[in-house]
Amino acid sequence: MMALRFSLFIFIISLYFISDFPGIFGHDEDMTIKTMEEFSGYQIHEPKYPNSLSVNSDTLQKQIDELATFSDSPAPSVTRILYSEKDVLARSYIKDLMELSGLSVKEDAVGNIFGRWNGYEPELAPVLTGSHVDAIPYSGKYDGVVGVLGAIESINVLKRSGFKPKRSLEVIMFTSEEPTRFGISCLGSRLLAGSVQLAELLKKTVDNQNISFSDAAKSAGYANAKGDLSEIFLNKGSYFAFVELHIEQGPILEKEGTSIGVVTAIAAPASIKVTFEGNGGHAGAALMPDRNDAGLAAAELALAVEKHVLDSGSIDTVGTVGILKLHPGAINSIPSMAHLEIDTRDIDESRRNLVIEKIHQSALSIAKKRRVILSEFEIVNQDPPALSDESITKATELACQELNLTHKKMISRAYHDSLFMARVSPMGMIFIPCYKGYSHKPEEFSSVEDIANGVKVLALTLAKLSLS
């Protein structure tokens, strides 16, 4: 019996060496090996970690620069709005790069773009990585882009190293992480995470030019966006893991001289719309004691937002009045209406929600004191925070150690598509330094070296997760 098993083993091994000849087995080598393993009971295909990781930094920087030319504002700024002509050109550029890297490309109904590198056990849940390339008006060229182009380059890095994934690896370019056109952030990832509410809302959503979401999507080549968007929902567990590479958008890594940030949690954002209405009147004729000034009510509430955030006692609680509009908007007219939009976020959901309640109470008391009407106080979204999965943070930390790169654990105060992908699969994020923490402005910048470090860490993290 032992002689028979030994002979069988020798036969299988000989088949393995024969399979090195592409003329016999071609691209089916991995499946051939897997069949032999199952038949013989011996493991032939030993996991192979990449030995040497080489990033083509010059090409990657050139791609970042080229993508920045697809913009509706002059350089060095970038403006790339969802489903615009420049957005469509950027999408074609990304798909071309995916195909050049040997990835099989597909898109869903709203334009989330996927590029897949099949593993030798393709039936296993794949590992996903990526980010977005849309850009708010007059922003920079690194936000999101590093996470998409860097993800494609990480696949190239692994291929050059001779690595073969067990689990398939996929790169994704998410649709509309920025809320610029339709006021909805992380639109693509929210839908992938199964937001029924958003799928229904998009049926009646229009932009500031009164163009519907479905018509805008159709103009960009996504006619199916008018259909049932639940078709693109992902089941929980569709992916084994999701990892996003991103510039920090904050100053900590650069200040501390640390190469990599290993994200442990993403702050939970909430958006509030507030409107005060007063009587208005002539700026000279209306006496101060008689005024019902909606503008002053808004100003007082803006200061109250700052107070409540600071009173939380945590540096992780932040609040911003990002929009303040006065009507009629004339220098000699008392504002009869004031509209504010408030962003508040925290990694502690209950603490953030307490701040929201205090803002609401302040709005009510200010309206009463200033004799104006609080006609609107709407919580537009109130998303829960997301925690990174320990298995992913450990894989990332180990990758940093193996690459001799300094790293630190940190939270993300900005939200990302990862926040919603955490509802689909275990999630993790990798941060790289950016100049002075600048983001969403033309001065946004990350060095070639920092980007290359991030790509190497991403590649090695993907390799480890793929073999899990």
Side-chain angles (χ1 to χ4, degrees), residues 83 109-110 202-203 213-214 217-218 222-229:
Y83 298 146
V110 297
L202 289 175
K203 293 178 180 179
F213 172 79
S214 59
K218 184 177 180 180
Y222 301 104
N224 291 337
K226 195 170 184 178
D228 182 7
L229 294 181

Side-chain angles (χ1 to χ4, degrees), residues 83-338:
Y83 298 146
S84 65
E85 178 186 351
K86 303 301 184 183
D87 181 52
V88 172
L89 290 172
R91 290 169 178 277
S92 296
Y93 185 78
I94 295 300
K95 286 184 284 187
D96 286 345
L97 290 181
M98 286 182 173
E99 289 174 352
L100 285 171
S101 296
L103 305 181
S104 56
V105 180
K106 68 174 184 178
E107 298 177 83
D108 64 21
V110 297
N112 290 311
I113 301 171
F114 303 81
R116 184 182 179 103
W117 179 18
N118 278 325
Y120 59 81
E121 293 193 18
E123 70 279 5
L124 297 177
V127 178
L128 182 68
T129 182
S131 194
H132 66 99
V133 302
D134 61 316
I136 68 170
Y138 299 94
S139 61
K141 61 183 177 182
Y142 294 89
D143 173 20
V145 169
V146 167
V148 177
L149 296 181
I152 296 172
E153 176 59 13
S154 72
I155 299 297
N156 294 332
V157 166
L158 291 175
K159 287 189 172 186
R160 286 194 292 266
S161 75
F163 175 77
K164 293 186 178 181
K166 175 182 175 183
R167 297 177 181 275
S168 298
L169 296 177
E170 282 192 21
V171 175
I172 184 169
M173 191 210 83
F174 291 105
T175 280
S176 190
E177 193 262 2
E178 305 291 4
T180 312
R181 183 163 190 180
F182 292 102
I184 303 165
S185 62
C186 301
L187 188 151
S189 55
R190 285 179 191 267
L191 286 173
L192 291 175
S195 176
V196 175
Q197 180 183 8
L198 177 57
E200 289 299 313
L201 179 65
L202 289 175
K203 293 178 180 179
K204 53 185 179 182
T205 296
V206 297
D207 64 12
N208 58 12
Q209 301 296 316
N210 207 35
I211 299 172
S212 70
F213 172 79
S214 59
D215 285 345
K218 184 177 180 180
S219 72
Y222 301 104
N224 291 337
K226 195 170 184 178
D228 182 7
L229 294 181
S230 66
E231 292 180 359
I232 71 174
F233 292 177
L234 294 175
N235 294 324
K236 191 172 181 63
S238 296
Y239 288 95
F240 179 73
F242 173 72
V243 189
E244 183 172 7
L245 174 65
H246 210 282
I247 63 171
E248 182 194 347
Q249 298 182 290
I252 296 173
L253 293 176
E254 185 189 50
K255 280 184 178 180
E256 296 184 358
T258 303
S259 297
I260 297 293
V262 181
V263 176
T264 57
I266 303 175
S271 303
I272 310 166
K273 292 183 178 181
V274 183
T275 303
F276 291 107
E277 295 183 36
N279 291 332
H282 193 285
L287 300 179
M288 297 302 290
D290 300 328
R291 295 188 179 191
N292 312 106
D293 192 327
L296 290 179
E300 189 171 345
L301 183 62
L303 291 173
V305 169
E306 180 187 40
K307 179 182 184 301
H308 296 319
V309 165
L310 292 174
D311 287 348
S312 76
S314 172
I315 196 172
D316 294 328
T317 312
V318 294
T320 305
V321 178
I323 294 176
L324 176 54
K325 297 178 181 178
L326 302 179
H327 178 82
I331 191 172
N332 62 345
S333 180
I334 301 164
S336 60
M337 184 173 71

Side-chain angles (χ1 to χ4, degrees), residues 30-31 34 45-47 118-122 164-166 467:
D30 289 331
M31 292 306 298
K34 183 181 176 185
H45 204 310
E46 295 182 2
N118 278 325
Y120 59 81
E121 293 193 18
K164 293 186 178 181
K166 175 182 175 183
L467 296 177

